[in-house]
Amino acid sequence: MDEYDCLSDVKTAKNNGVAFTPTDRSQYKKDVTKVTNVYGSTWTFYCFPDGANGYTDAFGYISKPAGNTEKPVSTSTASTTTNASAIIEKAVSWAEGIAADQSHGYSQADRWGPNYDCSSLVINSYRKAGLPIDINQVYYTGNMQLLKNYGFVDVTKSVNLDTGSGLKRGDILYYHISGTNGHTAMYSGNGKIVHARGQSYGSPASGDQGTEIAVTNYSRSKWQHVLRYGGGTSSSASSSSSSKTSAVQVEYEYGDVSSGVKNVQKLLNKLGYGLEVDGEFGVRTYNAVVDFQSKNGLSVDGIVGAKTMAKLKAATKSGTSKSTSSVNKQKADGSYLVTKSVKYVGKVTDNNLNVRSGPGVSYANIKSWPRLEKGYKVDVCDTVRSLDGSDWLYVHFNGIYGFVAAEYIAKV
């Protein structure tokens, strides 16, 4: 706060209801107002009429606190909320200003200004509002959940994505489909969103010749997540995140994005859930966890805590997979039995899937196999549990047989 942060000028001033003209400021010290700013500094104000004695501000300073007033200190919940509201308003207003300024268009080549794509517009809005978001860490829809390191929380469950009910000004909507596409927008209130939509709404030339960046009506789209800024700093959020990952009890829940979530998805896929292994704890992963918990006597909360993780690992090792009716175990000498009769059709859930000559990573890739990409369908003939406890499917594709890791095949 400095001398330019005074309130608007006034034409009159009163002392206990009686208009006055100051001749000596000191006589009005009994009418001072003390204001504590968000940095913990206390400033003292007194009133005097506009224009009197050459002064034009409605409020003037009696004293300025000593010391460094720029270092933030702990504040109350009310002041944190107020600060968060101010940041949100700055972010949305900046985005709306970009949309209204036709010199800014859609571009992925110079996406951090003067042009923007959908992700950089939303991320830069909050950076312009003062959040120290590292764009080497958060830069597209695939890692948008990392905004939780900067004071955002996932509020998807409190929002009706079909109607937009529950959304608040400044909320970030996004979806990300691994290997295909994604989009993000900021809710600006009154059923509107502001977003960078693409050059198909304008032209490849510089600037926004059409409505490449625009405020439009809210629609359902493919939204998967809603993030809301709730205040806080990146340092406190980061330490919270670090303490969570370093704690003895590992926990994963809806909205998380991490390699740990990938591991959960792989374990669930060994049990036949057919999830995309992308590390995003989305709706399908949540539903799979809930289903697994309900069938295994666990507390049904959709959160993978220590008990759920232990049960998952035990289930995958005990052969309770629902993707196959039987599992052939590899013998101690490395031998195994398989059949070539087709049991079901499976779909590949990841790109560049290795096909090996035997059930395990120690076996060589079969070079005569075509590349298996996500979405390809294969005939699943048998399942072999290798000596290390992992399941491998014996599959058939284009006249050739081979082994693939079970967690990357979903039953169709």
Side-chain angles (χ1 to χ4, degrees), residues 343-371:
K343 292 183 177 179
Y344 64 89
V345 175
K347 184 172 67 173
V348 179
T349 62
D350 206 354
N351 288 318
N352 301 319
L353 182 60
N354 291 322
V355 182
R356 300 184 181 274
S357 59
V361 294
S362 61
Y363 291 88
N365 290 337
I366 300 177
K367 295 181 179 180
S368 59
W369 265 75
R371 292 175 62 185

Side-chain angles (χ1 to χ4, degrees), residues 156 178 189 267 358 378 403:
T156 311
S178 181
L267 290 172
V378 296
F403 288 88

Side-chain angles (χ1 to χ4, degrees), residues 13 15 19-29 31 46-55 62:
N15 179 15
F20 69 93
T21 301
T23 56
D24 178 7
R25 297 187 195 181
S26 61
Q27 67 179 303
Y28 293 102
K29 284 185 178 179
D31 300 310
Y46 71 95
C47 293
F48 56 92
D50 183 53
N53 297 327
Y55 295 102
I62 288 292

Side-chain angles (χ1 to χ4, degrees), residues 274-296:
L275 301 170
E276 183 176 358
V277 183
D278 56 7
E280 295 184 20
F281 203 122
V283 175
R284 291 191 64 194
T285 301
Y286 175 83
N287 290 338
V289 171
V290 167
D291 181 74
F292 175 80
Q293 289 173 329
S294 65
K295 292 178 179 178
N296 288 274

Side-chain angles (χ1 to χ4, degrees), residues 211-254:
T211 55
E212 296 173 350
I213 303 176
V215 176
T216 64
N217 291 327
Y218 173 83
S219 62
R220 175 61 178 88
S221 185
K222 302 175 184 177
W223 305 129
Q224 297 170 326
H225 305 286
V226 182
L227 299 178
R228 178 173 297 159
Y229 182 65
T233 63
S234 60
S235 58
S236 62
S238 297
S239 62
S240 172
S241 176
S242 298
S243 64
K244 177 178 177 179
T245 55
S246 62
V248 174
Q249 181 175 345
V250 178
E251 190 173 279
Y252 304 101
E253 59 184 325
Y254 185 85

